Amino acid sequence: MEEEILLSDLEDEEETTNAKGEGDKAQAHTLTKDIIKEGLSLLCRTVDRLGHAFIKLNLNNMKLNDLAAISGYIHIRLLDLSNNSLTDLSPLASLKQLLWLKVDKNDVASFRGQPFAELIYLQRLNMAANQLNDADGLVGPALESLNLTGNKIQSLHCFQTSCFGNLLTLELRGNHLETTDGLNLPNLQRLYLADNGIKHLEGLDKLESLAILHIRDNKLETLEGLSPNMKCLQYLNVRGNLIAEEKALQSIGLVAKSLQALVLSENPLVATADYRPNVLTLLPQLKRLDKEPVTPAERGDNQMRIRELEEEEVPEP
């Protein structure tokens, strides 16, 4: 998990995936067998063990607006359709062995009518920078990673364990969310919600396995809404929100036992006197604050400060 937290730090610097410009959509092409043959690679034994077939297909940045020709390539397991002009993915219904699918930077407006119910082995799906207003109609019984960054999604209520029971990573950066309410994903481990309009933390009590919560650049004024059920939370990033007062952090004590890294930079609170000692008093187990490790000297000073505060609270006889 230390590696996971370090990875999260690197991901802090990522920019939200941008949608294509109008120039990228010009002169759209229809998929042909010749184009497919050029993109095929990775020869492997077929699932029935009776022959061999290419299982990887790269159709990235081909200006495609039609996929009809792909339906006969039933052995494809890894498919990259990034940066095209696709709106209809129904020809993928026959590719029942798909494990990994990238359709980012296309023009898909809805999951309704798309073939995802047929792709029962799909584990990784990237639909970033499309035209999605919601995720209704998407099911993924085997999905472990789902990226919906840079769409127009406003609600999380469709993310239920009945449809996404194996989901471990969910990315919804740069959408139109105003709340975290609606999630019911007890197995989810990593949740990325940066660059939305989130004002309140709500409905997080069902995220019992969550280790990473990344909610940078939103509109939070308080951390009220963190739940004691979040017993696995190790990394919390609320950089670039509107947290101004120390009392706004009180709810963080509910996850103090598990939390190892906290990022609060670019909040008004950071400019207050004794910011870092005050936060470490609330979170004595913390290992890193705002990317800076908690030093042994800081930890010693903090323990002394906690003892002094405890002594002040002891009533005189």
Side-chain angles (χ1 to χ4, degrees):
M1 183 51 66
E2 290 292 338
E3 293 180 358
E4 297 265 22
I5 291 173
L6 182 59
L7 178 61
S8 296
D9 288 344
L10 297 175
E11 289 174 340
D12 289 349
E13 308 307 322
E14 290 183 357
E15 295 183 2
T16 300
T17 304
N18 294 317
K20 303 192 303 302
E22 290 300 320
D24 296 321
K25 301 179 183 180
Q27 299 177 340
H29 298 157
T30 298
L31 184 62
T32 66
K33 290 185 177 181
D34 288 338
I35 294 175
I36 291 175
K37 289 178 181 178
E38 291 179 4
L40 287 169
S41 63
L42 198 57
L43 188 65
C44 290
R45 191 181 294 273
T46 56
V47 172
D48 59 15
R49 314 291 292 178
L50 298 178
H52 290 78
F54 290 106
I55 67 165
K56 184 176 181 179
L57 177 56
N58 184 359
L59 298 174
N60 183 310
N61 198 25
M62 305 293 290
K63 295 182 170 57
L64 300 174
N65 64 357
D66 179 84
L67 287 175
I70 205 172
S71 59
Y73 293 81
I74 61 173
H75 299 293
I76 298 298
R77 301 176 204 172
L78 312 172
L79 178 58
D80 187 351
L81 297 170
S82 302
N83 201 21
N84 285 289
S85 298
L86 299 168
T87 60
D88 179 20
L89 305 178
S90 58
L92 302 182
S94 60
L95 278 60
K96 299 185 184 300
Q97 297 176 29
L98 269 181
L99 302 176
W100 180 86
L101 176 60
K102 280 175 60 63
V103 199
D104 52 297
K105 296 185 180 179
N106 277 275
D107 296 316
V108 179
S110 175
F111 284 111
R112 300 176 191 86
Q114 305 293 354
F116 291 100
E118 307 293 326
L119 307 179
I120 60 174
Y121 301 113
L122 189 65
Q123 296 176 13
R124 300 181 66 89
L125 174 61
N126 187 337
M127 294 283 293
N130 276 268
Q131 303 296 324
L132 298 163
N133 292 312
D134 56 54
D136 293 346
L138 176 62
V139 293
L143 268 183
E144 296 181 2
S145 177
L146 175 59
N147 188 343
L148 298 174
T149 292
N151 282 281
K152 304 172 184 177
I153 295 171
Q154 302 178 37
S155 170
L156 299 174
H157 284 87
C158 59
F159 295 103
Q160 304 296 313
T161 189
S162 57
C163 297
F164 304 101
N166 289 304
L167 196 61
L168 303 178
T169 301
L170 177 58
E171 299 195 44
L172 285 157
R173 311 172 200 253
N175 278 275
H176 295 172
L177 299 170
E178 294 187 358
T179 176
T180 56
D181 192 34
L183 289 169
N184 182 9
L185 298 170
N187 295 322
L188 192 69
Q189 296 179 5
R190 295 169 288 272
L191 178 59
Y192 300 97
L193 299 173
D195 194 25
N196 278 278
I198 296 173
K199 302 175 182 178
H200 306 287
L201 296 179
E202 300 174 289
L204 299 179
D205 54 302
K206 299 181 178 66
L207 304 182
E208 300 170 5
S209 301
L210 196 68
I212 295 174
L213 177 56
H214 187 287
I215 197 162
R216 171 181 172 178
D217 295 330
N218 278 276
K219 298 180 180 180
L220 295 174
E221 296 182 4
T222 175
L223 295 182
E224 184 177 352
L226 292 175
S227 168
N229 291 345
M230 302 169 75
K231 298 178 181 179
C232 297
L233 189 65
Q234 297 187 29
Y235 177 91
L236 175 61
N237 188 325
V238 288
R239 176 178 174 180
N241 278 270
L242 304 175
I243 300 170
E245 300 179 4
E246 184 183 337
K247 65 181 182 180
L249 301 179
Q250 293 301 316
S251 298
I252 210 167
L254 299 174
V255 295
K257 290 183 179 180
S258 61
L259 198 66
Q260 296 182 20
L262 173 64
V263 183
L264 279 165
S265 54
E266 298 180 23
N267 280 276
L269 173 67
V270 176
T272 61
D274 295 328
Y275 153 70
R276 191 172 173 94
N278 289 341
V279 173
L280 294 178
T281 300
L282 283 172
L283 298 167
Q285 307 300 321
L286 203 65
K287 294 182 178 179
R288 285 192 296 139
L289 176 59
D290 296 336
K291 307 294 182 70
E292 296 296 329
V294 178
T295 66
E298 277 185 308
R299 199 171 298 283
D301 291 343
N302 187 51
Q303 290 173 351
M304 183 179 299
R305 186 179 185 196
I306 291 173
R307 285 196 297 269
E308 291 173 352
L309 290 172
E310 290 173 347
E311 289 171 0
E312 290 176 3
E313 293 175 0
V314 176
E316 295 183 4

